[in-house]
Amino acid sequence: MQEADPLSPPPNISHPGVMATDITEKFASAVKTLSPGELIKDEHFTLFDSVAALEIMDPKMDSGVLAEGESLDEEYDVSRDLLPEEILGIIDQLLCLEMAWHLGYPLSQTIFTSVYIESLMKPRPTNIDEADFIRDARGRERQPKLLFVLRAYCVGLLKACCFVNELVKEELYYEEEDFVTNTYDRHLLYDIPVASINNLLQKARSDLRAVSNDVPKDISTALDLRLELRIAFLRAIDLSGLRKANPDSLKMPWVQMSGLLEHIEIQHSLGKPVPEAFSTKLQRRLASTMPPRPMVQPSFEESYGHFKRLFQDGIDIMDVLKYAEPQSLLNFVSLFQARKPQPLVYIRTLLQSLLFKEMVVLGNYSIRQIIDHDLSIVVLPCGSQIDPSYDNVELPTDPRHQTAAQMEIFRQRVAECYLDIFRIFCQNRCRVRRTLCHSIQEWDMLQADVEEIDQLLQVALDEKPLTIDRGDIGFSLPLSSWAYLYKLRQMEWIVQLGFELEVYQTDELAGMYWYLNYLAKTRAQHGDRIKSFTMRSFNEARYGLANPNIDPKDQRQLPEYTAAKEREYMTSLAYLRVTMLDAACTWEFADGLCCLYTALQRLNLVLPPKRPYSTDTLRYDLRMKPFRSIALPPLPTFDEFTRATLQPETSTYDLLKYAESAVGGARKGYEALSKMSEAQAFSANTHDRWVANIKSCLKAAIAAGVAVSTLQRAFNRAGGNASNELELENGKGLGLRVEMPESGKGYHDWWIVPKLVPKA
């Protein structure tokens, strides 16, 4: 066929009823009138039209384009004879593709690139006998003798993928960020019962042993272990729904898989890859509007590492069912999800399922039980507001009936917000921070709403205000105090996750650490207020008349003080102690780092980058946007924020002294926290992770102390003192330079400690 001359005039298109007009010149001249970045869109030009206008025969967009000599469909014969080591190689490649799917790649680029998997699913099998590579009876008689092993493995793989996919879809996840549940009109053996698949896998193991004389022993053992892995995976998924069972028994399949994986890794070298058994051409058969995409296959070593972590996470996650109290549960979830690398999506959605499936917490507790338990620890030890006996009082004028009714309104109002805190931590780290920014808005409104309930309960229970030596504190407002404490914790998490996710640039760290210090100080003060009311309640319950706030004639109304009440009060006071100590450590450490970074900026060791399109005010508005609409604590103005961060009235010498004192205080606090027992720290079932986290903070505090002392010595050597302020250019004269830790390479992701090293 003669090629068209590129310089020849356009062809004369004519057809009855069609008049073609060449608009090239008009279009080119019209385009020249547009400014850069300007776009004109016709309201009648739809997305469908734009997709239809894409150029065909472009291999990046057209899945039907064929290279010269290429066939449209994959011509691989699934009935071909395979060596035992080739079957092993195919299974190991499927194992790698399975992990790629768990990592977030779509099935079309992973498992569905297998010709064997495609032949199992199309046409759709309705029973276990139809789930075969070869559907006709004659073909089955002639199939290779060991193909039954590959068939059983593939069937088990598809059923496991089906279970995982359904679980992920039932829970909260973000498809564009975490996982792709699209099955492209493939049903992943949904209709075939798992019992039939388990029987097939067991039969395959028996048949494999029957022909073991014809297969090298090491390869036969390797194939058998891979079939056992599929059986264990299905059993692990099946048992995870039995939340009332002994958690240690639910770990057994995960422990088994972890042991099998070690042998599989050793045996991998026995397999022989069969690359022609996998093809991206199979994407043409899938119900998808996506253009063709290359196959994604991590290396076996990489897949082994991911599977090892997956199985270990599966073992550890079952400890969540060993419920002790809500604060330990929250610590378990937050610390488990903070692991590096973060658990895979399947594990995170499995944790959600264990926590909240069918709105029954951990399979045994109602949401009311969890909320009431939390209230009793944080603000209401032995509180009459959560006394279950009040539910039995039916007289509307009785204060107990009114209390029970208002508490039910409170529980309905807070239940979703409360459970969402646990759900939020089951997301990826970026999504955790983003969702917390929305969550604090809900908790701010919640605090205002439940304060009205507090005021109604205050009347019903005839509560008296608390007066202390320093003045009148007022009424306890326990429900709104509880909501305020949770809101403050979430606000701190948002700022701390900003450090972890590198949201802030180096010259912004001083300001953000000051704001973290402001939030932690507010939390410590609020904890002290709660403790005052808890102590009043404790004294009333224990000493009666010894408390001057109690009218003598009301003594007979006080219930008996029992050992159970003593434990409840001690638990609440222990919680307030640990939360106030944690807040004090955060407050001190953040204050120390704020002073350190401010000093580094003054000495020009930390220089702001050039920002031609940014101002300090705009950046402040951006960083504080999540907190702008929050009523309490009030957001500092830009001038207040700037003055508190830069501390212009404080000399650099004094600033470093403050930093030294604050970091030293934080170090002592973390040392005290690290020595706490599981009960004292409210870290049941996660105490090792809790202690490791505290010790990482302690190491960061020690490193910050070293940085402060290094800068102090250099400052003093250069002639700086309390009465002499140095003016240095780029740190000249100090002989130091600042090295910032790489992401994830510091002692703790929330505490970014600079390293001061001598200049070369």
Side-chain angles (χ1 to χ4, degrees), residues 410-421:
F410 164 78
R411 294 185 191 99
Q412 292 176 2
R413 176 67 180 87
V414 306
E416 185 175 356
C417 291
Y418 181 72
L419 296 182
D420 277 348
I421 293 178

Side-chain angles (χ1 to χ4, degrees), residues 460-680:
L461 297 172
D462 193 24
E463 182 186 354
K464 302 295 187 295
L466 175 62
T467 304
I468 59 175
D469 296 339
R470 295 192 299 270
D472 191 355
I473 291 183
F475 293 95
S476 62
L477 303 175
L479 305 182
S480 57
S481 292
W482 177 81
Y484 187 37
L485 185 63
Y486 267 102
K487 182 177 70 174
L488 286 170
R489 292 182 73 184
Q490 292 176 77
M491 293 174 74
E492 286 182 50
W493 288 331
I494 290 170
V495 178
Q496 289 167 325
L497 283 166
F499 297 121
E500 178 180 335
L501 299 170
E502 298 182 280
V503 172
Y504 316 123
Q505 292 190 316
T506 306
D507 63 310
E508 296 178 283
L509 295 178
M512 295 314 299
Y513 275 120
W514 176 84
Y515 187 61
L516 178 60
N517 156 52
Y518 170 73
L519 293 174
K521 189 182 296 185
T522 305
R523 177 160 67 101
Q525 292 168 349
H526 186 57
D528 190 48
R529 182 184 185 278
I530 294 172
K531 184 179 179 181
S532 298
F533 287 100
T534 301
M535 288 304 299
R536 180 181 76 168
S537 174
F538 175 57
N539 290 330
E540 288 177 357
R542 173 183 265 187
Y543 302 115
L545 274 171
N547 192 322
N549 292 325
I550 301 178
D551 193 326
K553 64 185 179 184
D554 293 332
Q555 291 306 304
R556 63 182 179 276
Q557 298 177 9
L558 290 173
E560 181 185 359
Y561 187 71
T562 62
K565 289 187 177 182
E566 172 84 8
R567 285 194 300 271
E568 196 164 326
Y569 277 113
M570 291 300 104
T571 299
S572 180
L573 291 171
Y575 169 75
L576 291 171
R577 176 175 179 266
V578 72
T579 195
M580 290 171 66
L581 183 54
D582 174 71
C585 290
T586 304
W587 159 17
E588 293 274 25
F589 201 177
D591 192 24
L593 286 178
C594 170
C595 292
L596 174 59
Y597 278 110
T598 300
L600 291 173
Q601 286 179 274
R602 286 187 186 182
L603 299 171
N604 293 316
L605 289 170
V606 169
L607 298 173
K610 293 181 180 179
R611 299 186 179 102
Y613 303 108
S614 174
T615 65
D616 292 342
T617 308
L618 289 175
R619 273 197 317 283
Y620 173 80
D621 290 340
L622 178 64
R623 300 308 182 208
M624 298 302 169
K625 185 178 179 181
F627 316 111
R628 186 162 297 282
S629 62
I630 302 300
L632 287 174
L635 183 68
T637 64
F638 174 68
D639 291 337
E640 292 170 342
F641 173 81
T642 304
R643 187 169 186 80
T645 302
L646 299 180
Q647 305 179 55
E649 70 286 350
T650 306
S651 68
T652 304
Y653 179 86
D654 290 336
L655 206 59
L656 291 173
K657 281 290 184 184
Y658 294 154
E660 182 183 30
S661 174
V663 170
R667 187 182 70 247
K668 292 178 182 177
Y670 285 127
E671 286 173 351
L673 282 171
S674 66
K675 295 173 184 176
M676 285 186 171
S677 66
E678 183 177 286
Q680 292 172 324

Side-chain angles (χ1 to χ4, degrees), residues 115-337:
V115 180
Y116 288 99
I117 293 290
E118 175 67 11
S119 62
L120 271 179
M121 294 188 297
K122 279 292 181 179
R124 179 180 178 180
T126 57
N127 55 60
I128 193 66
D129 294 329
E130 292 182 5
D132 204 339
F133 306 134
I134 305 164
R135 300 296 174 93
D136 63 283
R138 290 184 180 178
R140 287 182 183 177
E141 293 175 358
R142 297 194 302 269
Q143 72 177 9
K145 61 182 179 180
L146 284 180
L147 201 60
F148 67 88
V149 175
L150 182 57
R151 177 208 172 198
Y153 184 90
C154 290
V155 168
L157 168 63
L158 285 174
K159 193 62 179 179
C161 291
C162 176
F163 282 141
V164 170
N165 209 51
E166 292 301 313
L167 175 66
V168 171
K169 288 193 293 185
E170 288 174 2
E171 303 300 338
L172 178 63
Y173 78 104
Y174 292 87
E175 180 155 346
E176 296 302 319
E177 302 169 6
D178 292 323
F179 198 77
V180 181
T181 56
N182 190 356
T183 59
Y184 308 97
D185 199 32
R186 301 294 192 264
H187 295 275
L188 300 177
L189 310 184
Y190 184 84
D191 300 324
I192 300 178
V194 67
S196 301
I197 294 174
N198 274 322
N199 291 337
L200 179 67
L201 286 163
Q202 294 289 6
K203 184 177 184 302
R205 294 185 69 192
S206 300
D207 292 346
L208 179 61
R209 285 191 287 269
V211 298
S212 59
N213 293 333
D214 301 330
V215 182
K217 184 177 180 180
D218 51 356
I219 293 180
S220 175
T221 302
L223 293 172
D224 184 65
L225 290 181
R226 282 152 178 77
L227 292 175
E228 188 179 352
L229 180 72
R230 292 265 63 102
I231 295 171
F233 206 152
L234 290 174
R235 187 162 69 252
I237 295 171
D238 190 37
L239 290 180
S240 63
L242 306 176
R243 296 187 292 167
K244 293 186 178 182
N246 181 0
D248 291 329
S249 66
L250 302 184
K251 294 180 182 181
M252 295 310 297
W254 297 98
V255 174
Q256 180 186 0
M257 287 189 288
S258 186
L260 290 171
L261 190 65
E262 299 301 322
H263 295 288
I264 289 173
E265 195 262 341
I266 295 171
Q267 299 161 343
H268 171 65
S269 59
L270 300 174
K272 180 181 178 182
V274 186
E276 60 270 22
F278 300 85
S279 174
T280 55
K281 288 184 180 181
L282 299 176
Q283 294 178 6
R284 297 167 181 164
R285 304 181 186 178
L286 303 176
S288 172
T289 57
M290 292 293 292
R293 291 287 184 267
M295 182 169 61
V296 178
Q297 181 181 336
S299 67
F300 186 84
E301 291 73 22
E302 184 182 353
S303 301
Y304 163 76
H306 286 302
F307 270 115
K308 187 175 182 179
R309 284 190 293 272
L310 172 68
F311 297 154
Q312 185 59 51
D313 289 343
I315 295 169
D316 295 342
I317 204 175
M318 295 305 164
D319 286 331
V320 77
L321 297 173
K322 300 176 181 178
Y323 175 75
E325 27 75 22
Q327 293 302 319
S328 288
L329 183 62
L330 181 57
N331 279 329
F332 181 97
V333 175
S334 61
L335 290 170
F336 181 82
Q337 299 295 350

